[in-house]
Amino acid sequence: MPKIPSAEAKETLYRVAMDKITSMLDGESNEIARMATVSSILAGDFDYFYWTGFYRVVDGVLVVGPYQGTPGCLRITLDRGVCGAAASRKKTILVPDTHAFPGHIACDARSLSEIVVPVLDAAGNVLAVLDVDSDQLSAFDAIDQKWLETIIATVFAE
Ligand code: SME
């Protein structure tokens, strides 16, 4: 099982990933291409990410988008799961123990902790959420939150 990196090592991993993402996406405006690239780079660079991807808001429901990992649930209503909570509160949610989160949707029982970051458009509407799950407890902290929010804000800036 991959070790959770130290704070310093996480900072370095995120700095490198951020550079790759911004240079690869330079000039690409397609939303799906951007989501696919972000999930591929994050999943490849972070050993403790078990499932990495997006759910897009389509007709008021979260529908699975580009991701890396084991098969994800296809649709999540906004009143369900960590993804639904992050989308309806428009706030990042960190869950140290998914099995203790009321309403957590277990698409894969090996996901033990997770972080979900909402993707907002310029008007503040939720376009999607970035969902990252780990197969270890308490894998995510304020450093993951800061960087994943920065990546999302940069990649989906209007
Ligand atoms: N963790 C999510 C469900 C999606 S999957 O884990 C891929 C949730 O409870 O919202």
Side-chain angles (χ1 to χ4, degrees):
M1 199 170 274
K3 248 182 82 189
I4 307 296
S6 65
E8 220 182 355
K10 274 192 183 184
E11 292 280 355
T12 306
L13 283 167
Y14 276 112
R15 244 190 310 273
V16 171
M18 176 82 185
D19 283 353
K20 282 192 217 172
I21 289 168
T22 48
S23 66
M24 269 199 77
L25 290 180
D26 188 29
E28 178 52 68
S29 60
N30 181 271
E31 184 186 296
I32 304 282
R34 296 174 83 78
M35 291 179 179
T37 303
V38 169
S39 27
S40 171
I41 290 174
L42 292 178
D45 283 8
F46 291 79
D47 289 345
Y48 62 104
F49 288 14
Y50 179 75
W51 195 97
T52 310
F54 290 87
Y55 279 88
R56 301 168 60 239
V57 179
V58 180
D59 298 330
V61 176
L62 291 165
V63 180
V64 78
Y67 70 94
Q68 303 272 319
T70 53
C73 306
L74 299 184
R75 287 171 181 262
I76 299 175
T77 51
L78 293 180
D79 58 346
R80 292 193 62 226
V82 186
C83 292
S88 30
R89 293 180 210 166
K90 300 186 181 181
K91 286 256 176 323
T92 297
I93 301 188
L94 270 162
V95 179
D97 178 355
T98 51
H99 296 287
F101 186 91
H104 169 254
I105 305 162
C107 301
D108 186 324
R110 284 166 291 188
S111 286
L112 298 184
S113 60
E114 71 177 283
I115 181 168
V116 180
V117 180
V119 181
L120 306 178
D121 67 13
N125 302 308
V126 185
L127 292 178
V129 296
L130 169 66
D131 177 7
V132 184
D133 298 355
S134 179
D135 58 359
Q136 294 182 64
L137 288 168
S138 303
F140 306 103
D141 58 21
I143 296 175
D144 300 275
Q145 177 166 356
K146 172 189 76 177
W147 276 102
L148 293 174
E149 286 178 349
T150 303
I151 289 169
I152 291 303
T154 307
V155 170
F156 298 97
E158 211 265 323

